Amino acid sequence: MDDNELVRRVLGGDDASFSLIVRRHSPAVFSTTLGLLRDRAWAEELTQRTFVRAFERLGSFRHENLRQWLRAIAYHLCLNELASERRRRTVKGERLEETVADEPYSEERERMIGLVERALEDLPEKERDVIKMHYYERLSTKEIAQRLGTTQANVLVRLSRIREKLRKSLRYERD
């Protein structure tokens, strides 16, 4: 049974079909959350929250690619969670031990992280998406090419150009 049929059944009241969706797509969603959060327990929690959110909003699913839709929900939940954690750290003056376990805290390092985050935010959305797929979701260039409907060579060129743009931006910011 394909994903669209499962969605139709869930919307028709068959909750058991949703457990098939969960079983089918949990590995991909968990991979997304773990890649972003780098903490197994936190990733498991956000994976569960992703499916809760998906169930609540299943009526808005437009019968495209269910796996991509679920991963997008997971991605946004993780980004929101990371931003909230960053705000909590700023407010409390604490540092999350999980972010970089072996590196000691330094103000310079934190300043550089802030510069990188701002540089990423300044990128056009399409470029930011390529960077996020490659570095946060840990997709290969082949997988990114498939998702974007382009060639692997094109993705490699894009990544190279985006990295250079980020280098220039960071050089400018540091000066």
Side-chain angles (χ1 to χ4, degrees):
M1 186 176 329
D2 76 350
D3 288 338
N4 288 330
E5 178 59 27
L6 287 172
V7 168
R8 276 191 285 281
R9 286 181 176 209
V10 173
L11 291 173
D14 179 10
D15 292 344
S17 290
F18 193 74
S19 28
L20 291 172
I21 291 172
V22 172
R23 276 197 300 274
R24 183 178 291 174
H25 296 290
S26 283
V29 172
F30 178 72
S31 172
T32 299
T33 59
L34 185 61
L36 288 164
L37 302 172
R38 309 242 190 277
D39 178 274
R40 188 169 200 81
W42 202 11
E44 288 170 355
E45 178 186 335
L46 267 288
T47 297
Q48 289 176 352
R49 286 176 44 194
T50 296
F51 285 105
V52 169
R53 176 76 51 90
F55 185 79
E56 293 169 347
R57 298 188 178 170
L58 202 55
S60 69
F61 176 65
R62 300 288 170 237
H63 302 285
E64 308 115 14
N65 183 317
L66 184 60
R67 178 169 290 176
Q68 285 180 348
W69 185 71
L70 291 166
R71 289 180 75 163
I73 292 171
Y75 177 78
H76 290 290
L77 283 173
C78 288
L79 289 184
N80 290 340
E81 193 71 17
L82 288 167
S84 294
E85 191 60 42
R86 202 172 17 249
R87 282 191 300 274
R88 279 193 295 272
R89 275 189 297 155
T90 302
V91 169
K92 293 179 180 178
E94 296 175 355
R95 181 175 168 271
L96 263 184
E97 295 302 323
E98 295 84 13
T99 50
V100 181
D102 297 329
E103 288 189 37
Y105 172 81
S106 82
E107 287 189 27
E108 176 61 19
R109 186 176 165 286
E110 290 295 315
R111 188 179 75 75
M112 285 305 296
I113 289 171
L115 289 174
V116 170
E117 288 173 347
R118 279 192 295 283
L120 287 170
E121 288 170 6
D122 290 342
L123 288 173
E125 185 176 2
K126 287 183 179 184
E127 291 178 356
R128 195 170 46 245
D129 288 345
V130 171
I131 290 293
K132 287 176 181 175
M133 282 186 266
H134 188 66
Y135 290 103
Y136 294 105
E137 294 181 39
R138 297 195 175 271
L139 296 179
S140 69
T141 53
K142 182 179 180 181
E143 292 169 317
I144 295 169
Q146 289 171 343
R147 190 180 281 186
L148 297 177
T150 188
T151 65
Q152 188 174 4
N154 181 273
V155 171
L156 288 167
V157 169
R158 284 186 192 184
L159 280 168
S160 177
R161 288 179 181 161
I162 296 167
R163 285 185 197 117
E164 184 56 34
K165 187 184 274 190
L166 287 170
R167 272 195 274 303
K168 286 179 182 175
S169 175
L170 290 171
R171 263 189 242 121
Y172 174 78
E173 289 285 332
R174 280 194 277 166
D175 295 338

